[in-house]
Amino acid sequence: MDTLIKRGDGMFPSVVSKLVNPLFEDFFSRDISDWADRSISAIGVNLPSVNLKETDTKLEIELAAPGLKKDDFKIEVDNNMLIISAEKEEKKESSKKDDYVRKEFNYQSFYRSFNLPDYADENKIEATYKDGILDVVIAKKPGHTKALKSIAIK
């Protein structure tokens, strides 16, 4: 798409077409997950990736958050919602002799939330942080059995 709107003899190309065309080209030509990731990184938000695991006795969340300390994290449970957040502010003193051409170290934070199933035991949650991975283990309530459900394909 070269132009979305053309007026008169084409001497004044529409500003709207120059702004809107890339949006539509990205929207229709990209995979939805790629488009979402690009828009998040384009606005400077860094959302850590997670792995979710489930066994007969526990649920496990592995969250990739390198460069943080365990004290930077906050983990809460509110109304069957597990909330993991982190906040870190770069406090590095600089002197006049530092000749930065560009300085991007400053502040990072994120917020992720997960709906816990009814069989999760909110009173038995443990978390560890090692080598850039936050590992949150949630015990299942005793007596819960995982039911296999078959879905018919039409």
Side-chain angles (χ1 to χ4, degrees):
M1 280 195 280
D2 261 348
T3 57
L4 187 60
I5 301 172
K6 209 172 199 182
R7 296 185 184 190
D9 62 357
M11 288 179 56
F12 301 103
S14 170
V15 173
V16 174
S17 69
K18 289 183 180 182
L19 296 174
V20 174
N21 280 346
L23 172 67
F24 281 105
E25 288 170 6
D26 278 354
F27 184 76
F28 291 111
S29 67
R30 296 203 186 286
D31 180 40
I32 190 68
S33 63
D34 180 43
W35 183 77
D37 288 343
R38 250 187 90 172
S39 65
I40 287 172
S41 62
I43 60 173
V45 175
N46 187 14
L47 199 58
S49 300
V50 297
N51 293 331
L52 303 174
K53 299 178 188 178
E54 182 173 0
T55 67
D56 292 338
T57 59
K58 66 183 178 180
L59 302 164
E60 187 173 359
I61 298 171
E62 296 173 324
L63 188 134
L68 298 173
K69 296 181 289 190
K70 70 178 186 175
D71 296 337
D72 296 331
F73 293 98
K74 185 176 181 181
I75 303 173
E76 301 172 310
V77 176
D78 183 23
N79 202 19
N80 276 356
M81 179 82 64
L82 178 72
I83 301 162
I84 302 173
S85 60
E87 196 169 317
K88 180 180 180 179
E89 187 174 350
E90 185 72 28
K91 294 182 180 179
K92 191 173 186 180
E93 297 293 323
S94 70
S95 63
K96 290 192 176 205
K97 68 179 180 175
D98 293 337
D99 294 329
Y100 290 105
V101 174
R102 181 177 184 156
K103 187 173 180 181
E104 294 182 348
F105 289 4
N106 57 1
Y107 177 80
Q108 65 182 3
S109 68
F110 71 85
Y111 175 95
R112 298 281 319 244
S113 61
F114 304 91
N115 286 321
L116 293 176
D118 293 336
Y119 53 84
D121 190 344
E122 294 180 4
N123 298 315
K124 294 184 180 177
I125 299 175
E126 296 180 358
T128 57
Y129 182 69
K130 183 178 178 186
D131 298 331
I133 305 293
L134 178 67
D135 191 35
V136 180
V137 177
I138 306 140
K140 289 184 177 180
K141 291 178 182 173
H144 171 73
T145 57
K146 192 174 177 180
L148 181 63
K149 186 175 181 178
S150 183
I151 309 297
I153 302 171
K154 297 178 183 183

